[in-house]
Amino acid sequence: MGNLSFDRLRELAESGAVDTVLVALVDMQGRLMGKRFHVSNFIDHSHVETHCCNYLLATDLVMSTPEGFASTSWQTGYGDYVLRPDLSTLRHVPWLDKTVLVLGDVLDHHTHAPVPHAPRGMLQKQIVRMKELGFDAMMATELEFFLFEGDYRTLQKEKYTNLIPLNGHNEDYCLFQTTKEETFLQPLRNHLVGAGIPVECTKGEAEIGQQELNIRYADALACADNHTIAKQAVKEIAFQQGFSASFLPKWSADKVGSSSHVHLSLWKDGVPLFYDKDAKLGMSDLMRHFMAGLIAYAPDFTYFLAPYINSYKRFAKGTFAPTKTVWSVDNRTAGFRLCGEGTKGIRVECRIGGSDLNPYLAQAALLAAGLKGIEEKLTLQEPTRGDVYEDTNVTEIPRSLRAATETLRGSAMLREAFGDGVVDHYTRAAEWEQEEFDKIVTDWEINRGFERV
C-alpha cells in the first residue's frame, strides 16, 4: 500500500511540495509504463482515469510490435486502454524531486472490464480465488542485481562490450566490500522506506559486483507492487549516480546469475495455515498439498519465472540456481526450499525465478499451481536430500525457452486459472522472443551450446 492520501496530496500540491504525479501500469515485462501529470490536472481530472495505447501489453523488451496477438494489432489499429489509478498505492518518490507515484489497473476502453492479460489484474484474480477459500497469501521476493561502472548511455554506445562490475570482489555478506557501494545502497534503502516500501536490508551477493535487496513480506499484491517499485528505484538511483544496475539473470557465462526467489505461505485471520505444531517438520496437510501442486505444475509455469532466452543460462550446477523441480529442507540446491520448519514462520521458497521475472505473473502462477494442489489433494513426496544437482531421478526444470513455451501452451492448469486467451497471449510473447533469437543466432553458435535445446 502507499503512504499518501488523496487529501494529503491536495495539501502538498497547494504548498508547492509536489508538482508531478507518475501514473503507471505494469507491462508484460514488469516495467512501469505511464505518464507524468501535473499535480493540478491529476487532482482535478486524472485521478479518476486516464488512457494509454493498448500496445503496452503486447510489446517486447525493446518496444517492438509483434504480430500474432489477438488482443491488439496493426489490423485493429492499436486502440486505447483505460488506466484507472489505484489511489491506495499513492506514495512519495523521494529520489525524484516533488514527485509522487500511483499504480493503475488496466481496463477495457469500451466495457471498463479488467483486461485479462494485464499482469496486476492476473494476480488480483488469484488473490480473489484465495480469499473465496478463506486464505490470505503472504509473499516476499528477493531482488538480486549487478552494479556496473558507467552510465546506461555510455555502456549502450560501447555495445555493452566492456562491462566492469562496480566492485571487483565476491561480496557475499561482506560488510567491508559493500561499504564501497554504500553511497548507492544507503540512499536506496532510505528512499524506498520513504516511499512506503518496507525494506529489511541490503547485502552483498555471491558474485563480483552483485547485490541483493530484501523487502519485508506482505500480502501478495503489496509484495508485487513493492518489488516493481523497488526495481525502478534501483535503476533510477543508479542512473542518478552515474553508473548502471542490471537485472539480467546471466550477464556473463562464467559468472553466477541473479535470481528472484519467492517466499510464500497462506494465512487466515493472522493464523499461519502452513503450520501444524504436531506434524512432521511443522508442515500442515494444507501446506503439503500446496507444495505438491507447485512441484507437479512447475514445468507448466516455468515461463512466468524465466521468460527470456537468457533466463535459461542461469540454471547451472554449482551456482545456487536450481536445475530440478523438487523440494528439500533448508537446501539451496533444490528448486523449492522449506524454510522455517517447525515454526510459525514456515514457508516455501521457490528458487526457480530469475531477476528478470515479472513478480505479478510469477506470483499469480505460483498461487494458481498451489491452489490446484489443494483442490486435487496432491501428495507431497519425501524431501530430496543432499546435492540435488547430482540427483538424476527427479524432474528437471525446462532447459530452454522453447521447452518452457510448449509446457505453457499445453497447461490445462493455467488455462483453467487464467483463461485460454491469457495463456495464448503469453505463449505468443514467448514465441516472439524465440523467433527474434533465431533470426540472429547461427547454427554454429547453437551447436556449441549457445542455447540449451
Side-chain angles (χ1 to χ4, degrees), residues 261-280:
H261 304 145
V262 181
H263 296 249
L264 72 95
S265 58
L266 300 185
W267 294 65
K268 182 177 182 180
D269 299 328
V271 177
L273 300 182
F274 277 5
Y275 177 58
D276 181 346
K277 64 181 178 61
D278 297 320
K280 184 177 180 181

Side-chain angles (χ1 to χ4, degrees), residues 71-90:
S71 62
T72 188
S73 65
W74 292 111
Q75 288 71 31
T76 59
Y78 285 110
D80 272 353
Y81 284 141
V82 169
L83 179 56
R84 183 177 63 196
D86 178 351
L87 294 179
S88 72
T89 69
L90 192 64

Side-chain angles (χ1 to χ4, degrees), residues 3 6-7 10 16 25 41-42 142 146 154 157-158 180 210 227 233 248 276 293 331 337 359 380 400 435 439 453:
N3 62 1
F6 192 68
D7 287 341
R10 287 182 186 274
L25 63 86
N41 183 280
F42 180 80
E142 304 171 22
F146 284 87
T154 298
K157 289 177 181 178
E158 295 174 351
K180 300 175 183 179
Q210 190 179 31
H227 177 117
L248 191 69
D276 181 346
N331 182 335
R337 181 169 73 116
L380 182 67
S400 69
E435 290 166 9
K439 288 178 184 177
V453 294

